Amino acid sequence: MFTHVDAIAGQLGRGLLLTLAMTALTFTGAVAGGLVVAVLRICPVAPLRAFGAGYVTVFRNIPLLVLLVLFVFGLPDLGLLYPLFATVTTAMALYWAAFVCEVVRSGVRAVPRGQAEAARALGLGFGQCLRHVILPQAMRPMVQPLGSIFIGCALSTSLAAAVGVAELTGQAEFLTLRYDQPLTSFALTTVVYVALTLTSGLVAGRVERKLAVAR
């Protein structure tokens, strides 16, 4: 029954490497973009706050699969041609940046207002106040939500299979068609996803405990 287990495992291993790369790049881009949008949302300039709020509203209310289809099949119609992997990763990073923004904003709001007032009294500007006073204190409450977003990024890479990316789920679908052993392919895929999410949760918990000790 399992005559092709080695071949299946090898193919899934290659898909896993692509999934890990896509997850890391998506999360990194989402954190960078989310920080920028969060700063826009809390800055004193009204038009920038409106832009940040609009960004979050739009991207949080578009299904990720719809966004992937728009990027993969819509951009070429506009004459914008990019590699499939880069297109999908960019779309997912833009999507998750909206969620990172709200995590950062919640973390900032958890810092006592007096901290910002004291920083302003010392003559610090908006950027200096954020960088030196607010964000360092906001890190601990953001760890677990960011860990959840990392898990979301990892799991959402499976949607990339729908637009032709041969990541873990895409490889499982290909192997199912080739060897006609869906149980083996998707059972192994399920185990990998569970291991990835559990490991991510444990790492996030450990980081949170270390930050608690540091405080």
Side-chain angles (χ1 to χ4, degrees), residues 162-187:
V163 291
V165 180
E167 45 69 66
L168 186 59
T169 301
Q171 293 287 8
E173 293 176 351
F174 169 76
L175 290 169
T176 297
L177 294 174
R178 181 173 183 180
Y179 296 114
D180 194 26
Q181 292 186 356
L183 179 60
T184 304
S185 300
F186 281 96

Side-chain angles (χ1 to χ4, degrees), residues 95-170:
Y95 174 82
W96 286 108
F99 294 86
V100 171
C101 167
E102 293 304 279
V103 169
V104 174
R105 197 163 69 97
S106 297
V108 169
R109 293 179 66 180
V111 178
R113 185 184 297 270
Q115 297 291 320
E117 294 174 351
R120 286 195 294 269
L122 292 173
L124 296 182
F126 175 73
Q128 293 174 315
C129 180
L130 275 179
R131 185 168 65 253
H132 299 298
V133 178
I134 304 300
L135 288 179
Q137 297 183 66
M139 281 301 299
R140 184 173 178 269
M142 292 192 309
V143 171
Q144 281 293 351
L146 287 177
S148 297
I149 288 178
F150 180 85
I151 291 173
C153 290
L155 296 180
S156 66
T157 59
S158 62
L159 295 175
V163 291
V165 180
E167 45 69 66
L168 186 59
T169 301

